[in-house]
Amino acid sequence: MLKQATKQLAIQSMRSFSTSRQNNYKVTVCGASGGIGQPLSLLLKQNPLVTSLSLYDIVHTPGVAADLSHIDTKSSTHGYIGADQLGDALKGADVVVIPAGVPRKPGMTRDDLFNVNAGIIKDIAATVAKQCPKAMVAIITNPVNTCVPIAAEVLKKAGVYDPKRLFGVSTLDVVRARAFIGEALGVDPQQVNIPVIGGHSGVTIMPILSQCQPTFKGSADTIDKLTKRIQEAGTEVVKAKAGAGSATLSMAYAGARFAGSLLKGLDGQKNVVECSYVQSTVTEAAFFATPLVLGKNGIQENLGLPKLNDYEKKLLEAAIPELKKNIQKGVDFANA
Ligand code: NAD
Ligand code: LMR
């Protein structure tokens, strides 16, 4: 009798383990042959939660997939090329990461990329709606502030929009803030915790230095300079690359971290927190990045606005009109 009850319990606990921890996910990278796509795919190939890595682009994916498939990690790698194969690339994906589209050259703003990249996001989102409507979708493509509302509208029209599953990737702003603060304080950047809220362009990027751990103390001028450096860090890389594109390696790192956090949340791991640009009621802007707790269904909890000091309240005042304009542009495009 006791033996049978023990066996029953063991079966039950195995069942609850297998339902709460799937440990078996398909990730699709759209734009996988690009400057971000290739190193991002390399990092995802090393993530033990990924069992199927699907690489989509309009060029070179057979080669990228063949190359990555020789790495001795458990995930299988598949390459898909051209619009005809987008559906197969996305079919059944749990997480879709999108770095497809053109990057900036010196002198351009992220908004200057809209004309090319908006259409790319619209097409990919329409296929996501058909092939993997429950997937977590993480958009890296710029202008992020506008591309995320475009995807939301497309998913809404298809009747599958879930605001808890659509994300604009602003992780690079957090990664940069940690790197610069770590350097300034002489501490390991991995020990730095700082919320970066708002959006992902110029004044909409708001590092909340007053909430930094360890505490960041500095004159008003030091804080202003550091804030502006974080806001303009993308342009710093664009200038240094002198026409050869924008941040790719640091973005691949940030994208792999964000996708990894989505997978941890899906997998039932606790206390997974990332800042990301999502549909929001935290401010007047319909999309806004704040710290989020990630779980099995995407956003489990929006942790809201961190406490802001007077300087940061002014940053917020400057960001909101810009964000609203960027968002409206996306909504208008998707509904045109
Ligand atoms: P890239 O030109 O090196 O690569 C882009 C890739 O997208 C190319 O391989 C291209 O073939 C592919 N592509 C183009 N049209 C496509 C389509 N319709 N479907 C699928 N793939 C398509 O550019 P990159 O440096 O990798 O940058 C990609 C995007 O990421 C840019 O828009 C850039 O501004 C953005 N970015 C965002 C952040 C961020 O923090 N969110 C950081 C860096 C770059
Ligand atoms: C970045 O912040 O590096 C990206 O948004 C790319 C860019 O154009 O700056």
Side-chain angles (χ1 to χ4, degrees):
M1 192 68 171
L2 186 65
K3 234 178 169 181
Q4 202 171 353
T6 315
K7 201 172 156 195
Q8 195 69 33
L9 264 175
I11 291 168
Q12 269 172 11
S13 76
M14 269 167 70
R15 278 200 191 126
S16 75
F17 182 78
S18 63
T19 50
S20 65
R21 287 280 168 93
Q22 183 190 329
N23 203 0
N24 173 21
Y25 299 99
K26 172 171 173 173
V27 177
T28 300
V29 180
C30 294
S33 305
I36 296 168
Q38 291 202 37
L40 171 62
S41 302
L42 171 63
L43 293 169
L44 290 170
K45 180 76 177 93
Q46 297 168 65
N47 187 319
L49 290 174
V50 181
T51 41
S52 173
L53 183 59
S54 172
L55 307 177
Y56 173 73
D57 203 299
I58 52 173
V59 292
H60 305 318
T61 31
V64 177
D67 191 353
L68 286 178
S69 72
H70 291 188
I71 292 175
D72 58 352
T73 55
K74 74 175 178 191
S75 50
S76 57
T77 314
H78 314 273
Y80 299 90
I81 189 162
D84 291 351
Q85 296 187 10
L86 177 57
D88 287 339
L90 288 169
K91 204 174 186 61
D94 298 292
V95 173
V96 179
V97 192
I98 310 177
V102 291
R104 283 200 282 166
K105 289 194 184 325
M108 291 171 82
T109 65
R110 291 180 182 84
D111 190 54
D112 292 334
L113 305 172
F114 172 84
N115 286 343
V116 179
N117 291 350
I120 295 175
I121 293 301
K122 196 174 176 184
D123 292 347
I124 294 173
T127 312
V128 164
K130 285 194 194 120
Q131 301 293 346
C132 51
K134 294 269 177 208
M136 308 290 165
V137 178
I139 298 180
I140 292 172
T141 306
N142 271 316
V144 169
N145 292 1
T146 305
C147 287
V148 177
I150 292 174
E153 291 300 307
V154 172
L155 295 169
K156 264 184 218 166
K157 276 192 190 167
V160 297
Y161 179 48
D162 178 355
K164 292 188 162 44
R165 292 168 191 263
L166 177 64
F167 303 87
V169 183
S170 55
T171 320
L172 182 53
D173 302 317
V174 178
V175 166
R176 284 170 170 154
R178 282 160 52 112
F180 301 163
I181 292 166
E183 196 182 0
L185 294 181
V187 300
D188 178 354
Q190 299 283 314
Q191 304 308 320
V192 176
N193 256 314
I194 166 135
V196 183
I197 64 168
H200 178 69
S201 76
V203 297
T204 71
I205 300 171
M206 287 176 273
I208 304 304
L209 288 164
S210 66
Q211 299 303 312
C212 181
Q213 292 292 335
T215 307
F216 185 86
K217 286 202 190 96
S219 65
D221 185 51
T222 307
I223 286 173
D224 189 51
K225 282 204 174 100
L226 181 55
T227 301
K228 293 209 165 98
R229 182 170 182 216
I230 295 164
Q231 290 181 324
E232 291 304 321
T235 306
E236 190 177 313
V237 179
V238 170
K239 280 186 186 153
K241 290 201 173 180
S246 54
T248 52
L249 303 173
S250 50
M251 183 60 239
Y253 169 86
R257 169 175 145 177
F258 187 71
S261 291
L262 288 176
L263 289 164
K264 282 183 191 168
L266 264 174
D267 202 44
Q269 296 183 31
K270 300 286 171 229
N271 304 321
V272 184
V273 177
E274 290 286 352
C275 290
S276 177
Y277 178 73
V278 296
Q279 184 177 311
S280 171
T281 53
V282 167
T283 67
E284 281 171 52
F287 289 82
F288 195 89
T290 39
L292 311 167
V293 181
L294 301 173
K296 280 178 176 298
N297 297 307
I299 303 171
Q300 190 175 300
E301 189 185 352
N302 188 327
L303 297 177
L305 270 192
K307 194 161 181 277
L308 307 181
N309 63 22
D310 288 346
Y311 174 77
E312 292 155 354
K313 283 181 188 156
K314 288 219 170 69
L315 294 180
L316 184 61
E317 265 171 41
I320 294 290
E322 179 66 16
L323 274 172
K324 282 175 147 179
K325 197 174 72 187
N326 296 162
I327 294 164
Q328 193 56 48
K329 188 169 178 175
V331 172
D332 291 346
F333 172 81
N335 293 312

